[in-house]
């Protein structure tokens, strides 16, 4: 590591070139007890309070390779003030990838087809999932990478799903309640509560913040039929980007209306099918992009309402050209047909008959689920719950740190 008065530079051993670091960044990153409360771990000053004229009065290296910086023109009331930065700090902040790995250490998400997920299918025993931090970490790591995992030997207790969910984070309460039951009933207010076929969909897209994870626990499964189907929306994104990229702009831009208006409720949101552009490497792995949020997919035909945007004629930009007077809805319909074909292709769909005691946890903004129709003579009862993405990612970060998971 080296230092020049303006700007400050340091050189991480793995990089041949010095990386320029703004002194404002270093001052803002100070974690001494005057700057970060040791108990709450919250900042005790505001970034906006740092003078633009912040400067380094002096610096020195100490035995472990850390650098101590004494600040000039510091935040009001802080002078004299010294910050210490370790080699690990500089390594963590060497570049965007290093910062991402230090903060997340999540594996790259892998799009899957039926043939792949059959070989990567992960099932964990209920008792091990509840008792072992290592098993929980393995399960959540798999959930981030593939979007789905299963739990076996779950007791037929109504509260079992709460114990499963609370290993990840608090239950997400909705107008269905913190937990809910999926059973066929007369005059159902939701297609899920019938015995008929239920097509591929995601839950609660008509809400401003749909739940990140869905949990389904099979309590009773004595019907003929009712197989569960799963398809990876991320794989459909990959297939469109590889084989039909001309359809991507419409999937990114056209707003689809989702609505639940029934039983005294009226929820409604407009969403694009894909939230942002996404890149894949030559192996089909998602390439994370720090400048964009994680790709979330919106596809839930059973819960669509009438379109409310872009239903007239307008100029459409396609393939670098502007074409006047096209129907954005018709352009979207073409793209939606392509996306649906990839989602529902035979080699994209993982089918399983969830036996009693089986629980599935999946990413509600990536994995689409469906159900085949079933014979009404038997009984099919599932318990359901939601958990948000933030608690899931928090738990995975903490487990990474506790278990000493290396950076990838």
């Amino acid at each position: 590591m080296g230092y020049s008065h303006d700007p400050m530079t340091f050189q991480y051993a793995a990089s041949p070139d010095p990386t320029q670091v703004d002194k404002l960044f270093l001052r803002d990153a100070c974690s001494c007890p005057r700057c970060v409360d040791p108990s709450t771990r919250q900042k005790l000053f505001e970034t906006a309070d740092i003078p633009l004229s912040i400067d380094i009065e002096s610096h020195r290296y100490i035995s472990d390779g850390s650098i101590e910086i004494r600040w000039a023109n510091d935040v009001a009331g802080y002078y004299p003030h010294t910050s210490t930065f370790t080699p690990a700090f500089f390594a963590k902040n060497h570049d965007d990838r290093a910062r991402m790995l230090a903060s997340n250490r999540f594996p790259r998400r892998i799009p899957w087809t039926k043939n792949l997920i059959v070989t990567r299918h992960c099932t964990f025993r209920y008792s091990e999932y509840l008792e072992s931090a290592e098993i929980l970490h393995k399960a959540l790591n798999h959930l981030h990478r593939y979007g789905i995992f299963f739990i076996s030997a779950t007791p037929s207790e109504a509260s079992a799903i709460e114990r499963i969910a609370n290993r990840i984070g608090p239950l997400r309460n909705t107008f269905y309640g913190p937990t809910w039951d999926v059973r066929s009933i007369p005059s159902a207010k939701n297609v899920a509560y019938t015995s008929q076929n239920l097509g591929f969909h995601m839950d609660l897209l008509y809400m401003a913040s749909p739940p990140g994870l869905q949990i389904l626990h099979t309590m009773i499964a004595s019907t003929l039929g009712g197989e569960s189907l799963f398809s990876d929306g991320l794989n459909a994104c990959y297939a469109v980007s590889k084989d039909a990229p001309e359809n991507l702009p419409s999937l990114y831009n056209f707003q689809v209306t989702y609505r639940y208006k029934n039983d005294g409720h009226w929820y409604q949101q407009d969403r694009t099918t894909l939230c942002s552009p996404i890149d894949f490497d030559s192996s089909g792995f998602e390439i994370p992009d720090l400048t964009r949020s994680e790709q979330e997919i919106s596809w839930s035909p059973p819960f669509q309402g009438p379109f409310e945007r872009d239903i007239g004629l307008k100029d459409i930009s396609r393939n670098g050209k502007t074409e006047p007077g096209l129907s954005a809805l018709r352009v979207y319909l073409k793209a939606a047909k392509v996306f649906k074909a990839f989602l529902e292709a035979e080699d994209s769909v993982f089918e399983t008959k969830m036996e009693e005691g089986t629980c599935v946890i999946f990413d509600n903004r990536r994995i689409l689920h469906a159900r085949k129709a079933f014979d009404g003579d038997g009984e099919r009862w599932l318990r359901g719950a939601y958990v948000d993405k933030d608690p899931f990612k928090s738990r995975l970060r903490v487990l990474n740190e506790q278990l000493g998971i290396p950076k990838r």
Side-chain angles (χ1 to χ4, degrees):
M1 292 179 292
Y3 166 74
S4 62
H5 184 67
D6 189 15
M8 184 172 191
T9 65
F10 66 87
Q11 185 171 358
Y12 179 47
S15 172
D17 301 317
T19 301
Q20 303 295 320
V21 175
D22 194 313
K23 289 174 287 189
L24 285 170
F25 166 72
L26 289 178
R27 175 59 188 89
D28 189 65
C30 181
S31 59
C32 78
R34 295 178 65 192
C35 293
V36 177
D37 187 282
S39 176
T40 66
R41 303 302 302 157
Q42 293 171 344
K43 287 178 72 169
L44 298 174
F45 69 97
E46 297 183 18
T47 299
D49 292 336
I50 302 174
L52 290 172
S53 59
I54 187 76
D55 207 347
I56 295 172
E57 182 175 283
S58 63
H59 77 282
R60 73 181 184 95
Y61 290 99
I62 53 182
S63 58
D64 65 355
S66 298
I67 184 172
E68 285 186 351
I69 295 175
R70 184 182 175 96
W71 297 102
N73 302 326
D74 201 355
V75 176
Y78 272 74
Y79 186 85
H81 174 217
T82 299
S83 302
T84 302
F85 301 101
T86 65
F89 170 86
F90 289 116
K92 181 178 74 173
N93 290 286
H94 171 64
D95 56 26
D96 286 349
R97 175 173 170 76
R99 278 189 291 276
M100 180 189 71
L101 290 174
S103 299
N104 298 318
R105 282 182 279 179
F106 297 154
R108 288 196 294 174
R109 301 196 300 173
I110 301 175
W112 54 260
T113 59
K114 176 174 66 175
N115 290 338
L116 178 63
I117 201 64
V118 166
T119 63
R120 307 289 174 85
H121 180 68
C122 261
T123 300
F124 305 91
R125 287 189 62 82
Y126 172 82
S127 58
E128 294 176 335
Y129 171 85
L130 290 188
E131 296 167 5
S132 168
E134 288 78 9
I135 292 297
L136 179 62
H137 176 263
K138 186 176 180 180
L140 299 190
N141 202 58
H142 191 87
L143 179 59
H144 178 79
R145 176 164 283 186
Y146 296 101
I148 188 169
F149 74 91
F150 294 82
I151 297 174
S152 65
T154 306
S156 296
E157 302 169 2
S159 60
I161 195 169
E162 298 178 35
R163 293 192 288 271
I164 288 172
N166 287 330
R167 285 288 277 164
I168 303 173
L171 293 166
R172 164 75 179 272
N173 199 359
T174 71
F175 66 88
Y176 292 112
T179 62
W180 28 272
D181 297 285
V182 181
R183 281 172 154 160
S184 57
I185 58 176
S187 303
K189 303 300 182 182
N190 187 310
V191 66
Y193 302 151
T194 71
S195 60
Q196 65 196 52
N197 182 77
L198 176 58
F200 280 109
H201 66 285
M202 295 167 164
D203 279 18
L204 278 56
L205 294 188
Y206 40 75
M207 290 187 166
S209 298
L213 304 180
Q214 182 168 171
I215 308 171
L216 292 172
H217 170 207
T218 304
M219 301 283 285
I220 300 176
S222 61
T223 61
L224 181 64
E227 290 83 1
S228 296
L229 310 174
F230 300 94
S231 182
D232 185 8
L234 190 63
N235 183 65
C237 292
Y238 172 61
V240 173
S241 66
K242 181 167 65 77
D243 297 331
E246 68 276 8
N247 294 286
L248 288 172
S250 189
L251 296 175
Y252 292 139
N253 296 314
F254 188 83
Q255 299 272 349
V256 178
T257 301
Y258 294 99
R259 176 184 293 175
Y260 182 86
K261 186 180 180 183
N262 203 342
D263 198 29
H265 302 285
W266 186 350
Y267 291 85
Q268 184 167 314
Q269 291 291 325
D270 293 330
R271 300 184 179 280
T272 58
T273 302
L274 307 180
C275 68
S276 63
I278 187 170
D279 296 317
F280 299 90
D281 64 18
S282 58
S283 300
F285 287 22
E286 180 189 24
I287 301 174
D289 188 339
L290 284 175
T291 66
R292 299 194 295 253
S293 59
E294 185 176 271
Q295 178 68 265
E296 292 185 332
I297 298 158
S298 298
W299 186 267
S300 197
F303 300 98
Q304 277 184 221
F307 293 104
E308 295 196 346
R309 302 191 188 191
D310 294 333
I311 57 175
L313 299 181
K314 62 183 293 187
D315 293 346
I316 302 293
S317 178
R318 293 196 302 180
N319 301 322
K321 298 179 181 179
T322 299
E323 302 181 35
L326 291 180
S327 164
L329 177 56
R330 286 182 176 270
V331 175
Y332 169 75
L333 180 58
K334 177 187 174 184
K337 287 178 179 291
V338 172
F339 191 74
K340 172 183 169 72
F342 284 124
L343 279 175
E344 299 183 359
E346 184 178 354
D347 63 356
S348 296
V349 177
F350 174 66
E351 178 177 329
T352 181
K353 181 69 179 285
M354 288 180 55
E355 303 295 340
E356 295 177 7
T358 300
C359 182
V360 62
I361 303 179
F362 58 93
D363 185 335
N364 185 56
R365 303 309 310 280
R366 169 182 173 178
I367 303 299
L368 294 101
H369 62 294
R371 181 200 66 212
K372 289 186 174 181
F374 58 90
D375 188 330
D377 290 341
E379 185 176 0
R380 186 178 187 270
W381 174 23
L382 280 71
R383 294 273 291 153
Y386 301 116
V387 174
D388 283 325
K389 274 284 185 73
D390 283 336
F392 158 64
K393 291 189 173 182
S394 170
R395 182 58 55 90
L396 187 50
R397 288 188 186 101
V398 169
L399 287 169
N400 281 336
E401 186 173 61
Q402 289 178 345
L403 299 175
I405 304 301
K407 299 179 179 65
R408 299 172 187 273

